[in-house]
């Protein structure tokens, strides 16, 4: 098998912070160095990609010294934590952004699927959008026309084909988008975690389609957080950690190494999305702002089913307000709410007021009933009992380990239902009037 | 192992790759083959612009002709009736309509393409296609719109001719296709030049929106070039659209102040901005996702 992708010493530098007059100064300085044939002065002062440690340096290496090769027909799974540089790698492979250093060489046509339904126009009908989206992904009109029936059938949206897409449910939009993408026939297919959306049945369909693609001798690069699907699909694994290549080799080896490093590291289990927080803090005129969210379990390792869990929300109130309401909603990654906690009205615990200044709200869940898997958490505040102030969508991610709750030897994951409830079985023979 | 050796050998022996992605591209890399492969995309974009623009409107494509018509009526009242500006002896409606149709094309393409990167950031961030497809499709839709407005204008010319107004065609009419191509390429070139520069420094966009509006007063849209005293005329001639508007009027109405030299200036200007625009655009498209 020949090598179809060759990546050599690939690196990408990003500038942090906002564009302002300072950027202009840097640009001029950089240009002046280049004119004199010197090296870019900002390349040497760049920090490594470490999300947790804050640094004063305004440049960061999102990716550094990454080299690997992919052979024809191989399915490569790319894994790593949020922010490790996986998406940056995909963006360079897809020609969306250019590398700062290094080189990528490819043979054959390539298509990337970093999102489903890219470029859909809400006012156009389903049929028009199939043509538009197909053209954006690089198909010719004749190509799309010949595959139209297959695309429509795969999407299951035949009845709504001549309805504007803005009237579609979000699930239908995703199905239509994936249907178009599934009928691309590139030599190299690059797929980001697009399977995280949509229901279970749809995800199964997508995985099946990707297997199909691989079976036809095409090369697939696939990013996912779902180790089960990586294991099922991939031959080779690539693990990126803090912008560097940590391990490259057989999929099984890479995934197991990655998983053991993950469970050794607690922070990952309760990762808080700092972007959601900082966006919230930029909003003007709120009487109260959340400064941090923190999730802790009693367990030493990760969070397990039936663990006691404490959620601490630190706030800063600009003014005193009466009758505060706090809400925490726990959902699946695709956004289905599993349970909700609120002091009012659900729990019936009212507080008189939140005073001006800083403080902390604590939510204790004595026995977390969630099965092993990833969940996302929303946090919302209200005042005067009902007046909605804000809601931070997906502010935290909670990873529950598969746990042998009942000592039966089975580690319960989401495949066995989202919620684990204590239960007992009894078998009563005869007419049921026996011992009672 | 064996495979790896062959691969190394292949790369050592200078194997040809279909695609090589490097930090910096060449300054002038048109990627015409790539663009040609995506020609259906350009047409889809044009179609999308037309269809989406008039969904949920009652008058639909009638807006294409209503815009220049209403502007012309306002000009007739304000600049013609109230300010009593000269129109080279031409009927006021025809004079302002001709100026408006040409200027609206120029201003429209310039402001729309200048926003290429900013308004398509989401799309560009998710999928690769030759980025030039977007400004080119904008130009194509505006050319179609222009031709529609031009037919409308010709309707007025026919009506006024029938009414006995003093208008006539001029042999320069043979240059009409050249004029259209010239103004299409000029506005495209200027537009992509600005689009490349606005990605990082948005200040330029304000400058552009504002500048295009002011520039109209430095073009013979509301007054003829002949009205301007000789010693000030050079100032108007800096504007490369001036010869095009004057040539357009001369061709279809028989009045206008233009020479081949003036048109050559516009042509040189076009070649210059188009070259500079493409070069800068190529540079920016490779890394703009990091700065937008």
């Amino acid at each position: 098998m020949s090598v179809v992708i060759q990546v050599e010493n690939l690196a990408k530098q990003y500038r942090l912070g906002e564009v302002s007059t300072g950027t202009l100064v840097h640009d001029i300085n950089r240009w002046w160095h280049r004119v004199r044939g010197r090296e870019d002065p900002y390349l040497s002062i760049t920090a490594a990609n470490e999300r947790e440690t804050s640094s004063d340096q305004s440049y960061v290496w999102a990716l550094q010294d990454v080299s690997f090769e992919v052979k024809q027909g191989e399915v490569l799974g790319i894994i790593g934590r949020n922010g490790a540089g996986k998406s940056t790698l995909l963006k360079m492979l897809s020609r969306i952004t250019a590398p700062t250093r290094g080189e990528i060489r490819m043979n054959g046509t390539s298509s990337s699927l970093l999102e489903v339904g890219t470029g859909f126009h809400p006012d156009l009908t389903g049929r028009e959008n199939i043509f538009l989206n197909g053209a954006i992904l690089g198909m010719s009109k004749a190509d799309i026309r010949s595959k139209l029936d297959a695309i429509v059938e795969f999407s299951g949206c035949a009845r709504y084909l001549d309805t504007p897409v803005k009237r579609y449910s979000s699930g239908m939009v995703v199905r239509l988008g994936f249907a178009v993408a599934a009928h691309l026939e590139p030599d190299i297919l690059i797929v980001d975690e697009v399977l995280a959306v949509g229901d279970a049945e749809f995800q199964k369909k997508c995985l099946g389609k990707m297997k199909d693609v691989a079976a036809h001798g095409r090369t697939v690069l696939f990013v996912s957080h779902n180790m089960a699907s990586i294991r099922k699909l991939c031959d080779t694994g690539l693990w990126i950690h803090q912008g560097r290549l940590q391990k490259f080799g057989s999929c099984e080896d890479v995934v197991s190494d990655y998983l053991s490093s993950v469970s050794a590291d607690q922070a990952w289990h309760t990762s808080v999305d700092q972007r959601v927080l900082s966006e919230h803090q930029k909003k003007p005129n709120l009487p109260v702002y959340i400064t941090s969210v923190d999730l802790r379990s009693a367990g030493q390792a990760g969070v397990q089913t039936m663990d006691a869990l404490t959620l601490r929300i630190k706030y800063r109130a600009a003014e005193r307000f009466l009758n505060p309401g706090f809400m925490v909603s726990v959902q699946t990654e695709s956004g289905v709410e599993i349970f909700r906690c609120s002091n009012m009205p659900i729990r019936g615990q009212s507080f008189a007021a939140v005073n001006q200044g800083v403080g902390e709200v604590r939510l204790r869940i004595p026995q977390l009933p969630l099965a092993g898997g990833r969940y996302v958490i929303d946090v919302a505040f209200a005042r005067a009992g009902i007046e909605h102030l804000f809601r931070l969508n997906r502010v935290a991610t909670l990873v529950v380990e598969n746990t042998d709750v009942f000592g039966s030897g089975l580690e319960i994951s989401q495949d066995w239902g989202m919620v684990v409830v204590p239960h007992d079985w009894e078998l009563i023979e005869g007419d049921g009037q026996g011992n009672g | 192992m064996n495979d790896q050796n062959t691969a190394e050998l292949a790369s050592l022996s200078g194997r040809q790759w279909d695609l090589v992605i490097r930090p910096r591209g060449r300054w002038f890399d048109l990627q015409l083959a790539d663009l040609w492969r995506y020609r259906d995309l350009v047409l889809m974009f044009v179609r999308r612009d037309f269809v989406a623009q008039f969904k949920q409107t009652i008058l639909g494509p009638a807006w294409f002709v209503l815009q220049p018509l209403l502007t012309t009526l306002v000009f007739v009242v304000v600049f013609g009736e109230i300010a009593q500006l000269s129109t080279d002896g031409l009927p006021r409606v025809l004079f302002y309509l001709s100026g408006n149709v040409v200027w609206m094309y120029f201003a429209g393409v310039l402001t729309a393409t200048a926003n290429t990167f900013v308004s398509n950031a989401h799309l560009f961030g998710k999928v690769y296609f030759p980025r030039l497809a977007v400004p080119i499709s904008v130009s194509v839709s505006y050319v179609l719109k222009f031709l529609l407005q031009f037919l409308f204008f010709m309707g007025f010319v026919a009506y006024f001719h029938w009414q006995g107004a003093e208008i006539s065609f001029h042999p320069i009419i043979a240059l009409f296709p050249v004029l259209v191509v010239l103004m299409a390429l000029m506005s495209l070139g200027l537009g992509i030049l600005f689009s490349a520069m606005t990605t990082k420094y948005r200040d330029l966009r304000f400058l552009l929106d504002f500048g295009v509006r002011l520039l109209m007063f430095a073009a013979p849209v509301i007054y003829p070039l002949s009205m301007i005293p000789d010693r000030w005329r050079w100032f108007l001639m800096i504007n490369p659209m001036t010869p095009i508007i004057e040539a357009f009027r001369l061709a279809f109405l028989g009045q206008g102040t233009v020479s081949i030299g003036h048109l050559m200036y516009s042509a040189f200007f076009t070649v210059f901005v188009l070259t500079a625009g493409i070069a800068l655009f190529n540079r920016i498209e490779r890394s703009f996702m990091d700065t937008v």
Side-chain angles (χ1 to χ4, degrees), chain B residues 181-202:
Chain B
V181 170
L182 207 57
M183 76 178 186
L185 293 182
M186 186 195 300
S187 29
L188 176 67
L190 268 179
I192 60 177
L193 194 63
F194 272 96
S195 75
M197 296 190 294
T198 46
T199 54
K200 203 163 191 179
Y201 300 105
R202 306 267 171 97

Side-chain angles (χ1 to χ4, degrees), chain B residues 174-234:
Chain B
L175 282 181
F176 178 60
V178 180
L179 290 180
V180 175
V181 170
L182 207 57
M183 76 178 186
L185 293 182
M186 186 195 300
S187 29
L188 176 67
L190 268 179
I192 60 177
L193 194 63
F194 272 96
S195 75
M197 296 190 294
T198 46
T199 54
K200 203 163 191 179
Y201 300 105
R202 306 267 171 97
D203 313 49
L204 280 168
R205 201 171 60 193
F206 295 107
L207 189 72
L208 184 74
D209 285 350
F210 187 59
V212 166
R213 242 175 290 164
L214 288 188
L215 198 63
M216 190 184 82
F217 295 97
V221 176
I222 50 181
Y223 51 82
L225 189 58
S226 61
M227 202 185 109
I228 304 302
D230 278 343
R231 61 196 171 103
W232 293 116
R233 221 174 256 186
W234 63 269

